[in-house]
Amino acid sequence: MDHLLLFFLVAHLLIIIFLSKPFVILASESTNKSEVDRQALLDFRQGITDPLGVLRSWRKDSLDFCSWRGVTCGKALPLRVISLELNSLGLAGQLSSSLANLTSITRLDLGNNSFSGPIPATLFSASSQLVFVDLEVNLFSGRIPDFPRMSTLRILRLAENSLSGKIPASLGNVSSLTEIFMYSNSLGGSIPETLSQIQNLSFLSLSENNLVGHVPAQLYNISSLVALA
Ligand SMILES: *[C@@H]1O[C@H](CO)[C@@H](O)[C@H](O)[C@H]1NC(C)=O
Ligand SMILES: *[C@@H]1O[C@H](CO)[C@@H](O)[C@H](O)[C@H]1NC(C)=O
Ligand SMILES: *[C@@H]1O[C@H](CO)[C@@H](O)[C@H](O)[C@H]1NC(C)=O
Ligand SMILES: *[C@@H]1O[C@H](CO)[C@@H](O)[C@H](O)[C@H]1NC(C)=O
Ligand SMILES: *[C@@H]1O[C@H](CO)[C@@H](O)[C@H](O)[C@H]1NC(C)=O
Ligand SMILES: *[C@@H]1O[C@H](CO)[C@@H](O)[C@H](O)[C@H]1NC(C)=O
């Protein structure tokens, strides 16, 4: 067999291997987690405006999203976003539901900006690693989304927005909470009794809303509660 024939045979075989189904499935299954995070950040960037030009480092053609302003990545590979901190930067616009694709994020601080529209319902998921969420002092409106069982979220700051509707009873599913701030919104209805399931709750601030009814007696049974305002 001469070399040329061998070359063609091998090349042919390689093409067959590349085109065969198992290979294609394998390739699409090996999702690049970093690329998912980069895309989620770009989706978020796409939906907001940045009048002060503070997000200049967030370039579409930049692969190194870990160095973008406000983004912190963990040490494990592939690199994942663990924190997004963009407090007090004059940012506006609506939050992309793609934020939920940042499945390793523990800290989300978007406080004191001009973000508006709804809080994406996908933000709080059972598999979320979120520990700290600050969306305070913005223009968020609509209802607070439902909460699945979550066991990491400790601090939830939603105060000083235009949130309406009831405080979801499902908030009681977030057993890890220690601080809840929802004052100064347009929340109605009564305080859900389910909040008394949150054993380690120490701050609960719901003032300056349109709440009706009594503070559920069970709430006074939370031994860790030091402030109720
Ligand atoms: C994964 O995505 C990152 C960021 O886009 C890129 O730098 C890296 O080369 C990709 N890795 C693989 C194996 O595709
Ligand atoms: C809120 O952000 C503005 C800039 O947009 C800043 O001047 C102000 O000090 C911030 N307030 C707080 C409490 O951080
Ligand atoms: C990212 O989020 C969007 C919107 O929630 C979703 O449609 C998409 O499938 C997600 N992408 C990946 C790669 O997970
Ligand atoms: C969350 O709480 C609500 C109301 O308290 C309950 O109906 C629902 O089943 C809970 N969801 C999960 C996922 O535990
Ligand atoms: C409440 O706090 C204690 C002591 O810090 C901790 O061991 C426990 O896991 C906490 N409970 C919940 C539901 O997070
Ligand atoms: C508060 O706790 C005490 C002792 O565990 C119990 O007897 C009482 O019924 C509880 N009160 C409410 C309103 O849950």
Side-chain angles (χ1 to χ4, degrees):
M1 219 188 293
D2 65 30
H3 282 70
L4 197 62
L5 184 59
L6 188 67
F7 171 79
F8 275 114
L9 272 176
V10 170
H12 204 88
L13 201 66
L14 279 179
I15 288 169
I16 288 170
I17 290 171
F18 265 82
L19 291 183
S20 68
K21 245 184 161 165
F23 180 84
V24 173
I25 288 168
L26 205 74
S28 66
E29 269 175 1
S30 62
T31 319
N32 186 337
K33 293 270 177 34
S34 290
E35 189 49 32
V36 170
D37 278 17
R38 196 178 79 92
Q39 202 53 55
L41 290 172
L42 287 174
D43 283 357
F44 164 75
R45 175 67 188 90
Q46 180 91 32
I48 66 172
T49 58
D50 173 22
L52 304 178
V54 294
L55 299 183
R56 273 184 299 266
S57 54
W58 289 51
R59 296 200 328 266
K60 262 202 180 71
D61 59 353
S62 154
L63 293 179
D64 184 18
F65 59 84
C66 298
S67 67
W68 293 357
R69 180 160 184 178
V71 177
T72 306
C73 291
K75 291 194 171 69
L77 293 172
L79 292 174
R80 305 294 310 276
V81 175
I82 57 164
S83 158
L84 181 57
E85 291 177 279
L86 298 170
N87 196 298
S88 304
L89 294 176
L91 302 170
Q94 302 204 8
L95 298 193
S96 166
S97 57
S98 295
L99 276 179
N101 292 357
L102 302 174
T103 51
S104 295
I105 195 170
T106 60
R107 208 179 153 79
L108 178 64
D109 182 356
L110 303 178
N112 191 28
N113 283 289
S114 299
F115 291 116
S116 58
I119 297 172
T122 50
L123 194 58
F124 305 110
S125 77
S127 57
S128 147
Q129 309 284 309
L130 282 167
V131 174
F132 176 91
V133 173
D134 184 350
L135 303 179
E136 260 173 35
V137 197
N138 276 290
L139 304 165
F140 288 111
S141 60
R143 305 173 69 90
I144 297 172
D146 267 315
F147 294 84
R149 293 209 182 282
M150 293 172 79
S151 54
T152 55
L153 186 61
R154 294 168 61 87
I155 299 175
L156 179 61
R157 294 181 165 268
L158 303 179
E160 296 188 62
N161 279 290
S162 301
L163 297 166
S164 57
K166 293 180 174 177
I167 298 169
S170 56
L171 189 56
N173 291 336
V174 191
S175 56
S176 48
L177 279 167
T178 60
E179 301 178 19
I180 301 172
F181 295 90
M182 293 182 176
Y183 61 87
S184 204
N185 275 290
S186 300
L187 299 168
S190 52
I191 303 174
E193 289 180 2
T194 51
L195 297 192
S196 63
Q197 297 163 15
I198 310 175
Q199 287 171 356
N200 290 344
L201 191 61
S202 50
F203 291 92
L204 175 61
S205 174
L206 304 173
S207 61
E208 296 169 67
N209 278 294
N210 305 318
L211 299 170
V212 295
H214 307 285
V215 174
Q218 293 94 324
L219 273 189
Y220 295 109
N221 256 8
I222 303 179
S223 54
S224 56
L225 202 61
V226 297
L228 183 65

